[in-house]
């Protein structure tokens, strides 16, 4: 248990038993609530700490609460959508969501043999479709990772953890802007390439483009070999910045699934699965407390836009 105890946004004590805790992240805690899961901000009571500790915790509490508000705004703007965890209710307390008891994709890959190619393709296409949808809603995701993909009973995947997203105003062209740390569409696509590689190779691969809140892209020869891999050329294009937006990436992926480019990948054309690419219009004009200031992309050669 955290020293000082956990509190609600109104200052009252957050009441739960340890058996209720599904997960605890950087800014939030997920608690079991019957058939659902409740995500709340990780807010620590300030009583019993020194003045210096109190100042740090106060800042952390404000940051954690702000991240939860961003996540609420993402659900308001982009949900419901097939590839996003079902949001039941948004309240002052937190976000009530569907509970998925099959765990996350990172643990599933670690503990299970690789499934058939059709299942891998389904997961890859679901991730592509979901990130594309979020970009259409003028949202940059940033934290695209296996641990943020939950498995349903039928082994569909649902994306969670949107507290580090960046929501831009609806009138902006997302391909031309970056946030204050340099995050762009191409940064999201790079991280999506990591996830696609992890599913196709059936091993976790992670490279953080923004380890020190500044853009750092690795030389392509430091990244894993893609030659024998399903979707290998697509992954490489994610990593070298060849896609200008998610529409281009999704079009490539759909061509691969239809078998048009299957021979180039060295794969049987019969691997194509029924892909659900349903789209939902985004409520980007709805209420949002987390609209970010956009910065033009620097194209001078030192840019984060590679």
């Amino acid at each position: 248990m955290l020293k000082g105890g956990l509190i609600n946004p109104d200052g009252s004590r957050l009441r739960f038993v340890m058996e209720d805790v599904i997960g605890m992240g950087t800014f939030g805690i997920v608690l079991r609530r019957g058939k659902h899961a409740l995500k709340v901000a990780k807010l620590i009571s300030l009583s019993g700490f020194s003045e210096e500790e109190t100042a740090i915790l106060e800042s952390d509490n404000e940051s954690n609460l702000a991240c939860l508000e961003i996540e609420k705004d993402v659900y308001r703007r982009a949900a419901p959508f097939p590839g996003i965890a079902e949001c039941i209710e948004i309240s002052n307390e937190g976000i009530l969501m569907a509970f998925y008891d099959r765990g996350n994709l990172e643990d599933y890959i670690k503990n299970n043999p690789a499934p058939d190619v059709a299942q891998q393709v389904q997961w890859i296409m679901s991730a592509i479709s979901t990130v594309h949808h979020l970009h259409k809603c003028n949202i940059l995701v940033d934290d695209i990772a296996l641990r943020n993909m939950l498995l349903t009973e039928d082994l569909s995947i649902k994306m969670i953890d949107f507290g580090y997203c960046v929501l831009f105003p609806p009138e902006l062209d997302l391909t031309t802007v970056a946030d204050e740390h340099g995050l762009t569409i191409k940064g999201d696509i790079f991280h999506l390439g990591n996830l696609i590689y992890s599913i196709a190779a059936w091993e976790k691969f992670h490279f953080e483009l923004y380890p020190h809140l500044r853009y750092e892209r690795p030389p392509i020869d430091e990244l894993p070999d893609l030659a024998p891999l399903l979707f290998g050329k697509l992954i490489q294009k994610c990593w070298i910045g060849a896609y200008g937006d998610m529409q281009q990436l999704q079009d490539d992926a759909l061509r691969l699934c239809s078998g048009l480019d299957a021979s180039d990948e060295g794969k049987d054309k019969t691997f194509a699965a029924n892909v659900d690419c349903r789209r939902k219009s985004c409520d980007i004009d709805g209420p949002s407390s987390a609209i970010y200031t956009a910065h033009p992309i620097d194209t001078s050669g030192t840019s984060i836009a590679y």
Side-chain angles (χ1 to χ4, degrees), residues 114-126 154-156 199-200 202 230-231 257 267-276:
D116 59 38
V117 173
Q119 179 65 78
Q120 291 173 298
V121 170
Q122 183 185 62
W123 285 334
I124 289 169
M125 293 306 299
S126 175
D154 67 357
L155 291 184
S156 299
I199 295 171
W202 206 243
L230 174 73
F231 281 66
C257 283
K267 297 295 176 182
D268 191 326
K269 293 187 180 184
T270 62
F271 77 77
N274 290 325
V275 179
D276 184 357

Side-chain angles (χ1 to χ4, degrees), residues 149-195:
M149 297 289 182
L150 297 185
L151 290 159
T152 68
E153 194 61 36
D154 67 357
L155 291 184
S156 299
I157 56 173
K158 303 286 185 179
M159 188 179 286
I160 58 166
D161 277 2
F162 301 108
Y164 296 114
C165 286
V166 184
L167 292 84
F168 289 99
E171 67 274 9
L172 291 181
D173 177 357
L174 204 60
T175 64
T176 65
V177 296
D179 80 341
E180 66 219 66
H181 302 302
L183 178 65
T184 66
I185 274 184
K186 290 192 175 187
D188 266 5
I189 291 174
F190 181 96
H191 291 144
L192 179 58
N194 295 347
L195 185 138

Side-chain angles (χ1 to χ4, degrees), residues 24-75:
M24 186 176 298
T26 305
F27 73 86
I29 301 170
V30 182
L31 304 171
R32 186 72 184 266
R33 289 291 186 260
K35 296 180 179 180
H36 300 130
L38 176 67
K39 185 166 188 177
V40 299
K42 187 166 69 178
L43 305 176
I44 301 175
S45 171
L46 303 179
S47 61
F49 290 96
S50 69
E51 185 175 339
E52 182 179 353
E53 290 172 326
T54 297
I56 293 171
L57 287 173
E58 201 166 34
S59 175
D60 288 346
N61 283 353
E62 289 177 3
S63 176
N64 292 347
L65 194 57
C67 285
L68 185 68
E69 291 304 311
I70 289 171
E71 186 154 0
K72 290 179 182 179
D73 285 337
V74 171
Y75 279 107

Side-chain angles (χ1 to χ4, degrees), residues 103-250:
N104 64 61
L105 196 51
E106 181 175 328
D107 290 338
Y108 191 86
I109 287 175
K110 186 188 306 180
N111 298 315
N112 294 275
D116 59 38
V117 173
Q119 179 65 78
Q120 291 173 298
V121 170
Q122 183 185 62
W123 285 334
I124 289 169
M125 293 306 299
S126 175
I128 290 171
S129 177
T130 302
V131 175
H132 184 211
H133 169 71
L134 288 161
H135 282 189
K136 287 173 65 179
C137 294
N138 266 25
I139 298 169
L140 291 179
V141 187
D142 189 18
D143 195 13
I144 300 172
L146 293 171
R147 69 179 182 279
N148 292 335
M149 297 289 182
L150 297 185
L151 290 159
T152 68
E153 194 61 36
D154 67 357
L155 291 184
S156 299
I157 56 173
K158 303 286 185 179
M159 188 179 286
I160 58 166
D161 277 2
F162 301 108
Y164 296 114
C165 286
V166 184
L167 292 84
F168 289 99
E171 67 274 9
L172 291 181
D173 177 357
L174 204 60
T175 64
T176 65
V177 296
D179 80 341
E180 66 219 66
H181 302 302
L183 178 65
T184 66
I185 274 184
K186 290 192 175 187
D188 266 5
I189 291 174
F190 181 96
H191 291 144
L192 179 58
N194 295 347
L195 185 138
I196 295 171
Y197 173 88
S198 299
I199 295 171
W202 206 243
E203 62 178 2
K204 177 184 175 182
F205 173 75
H206 177 76
F207 185 95
E208 176 57 61
L209 278 182
Y210 306 92
H212 310 295
L213 296 182
R214 63 187 179 87
Y215 166 78
E216 292 182 10
R217 185 169 65 89
I220 193 66
D221 59 5
E222 293 183 9
L223 295 168
D225 179 29
L226 300 173
L229 208 60
L230 174 73
F231 281 66
K233 289 185 179 179
L234 181 145
I235 296 166
Q236 183 180 51
K237 290 170 76 173
C238 290
W239 284 347
I240 67 174
Y243 293 118
D245 56 37
M246 280 299 301
Q247 184 65 60
Q248 295 174 13
L249 191 161
Q250 181 163 275

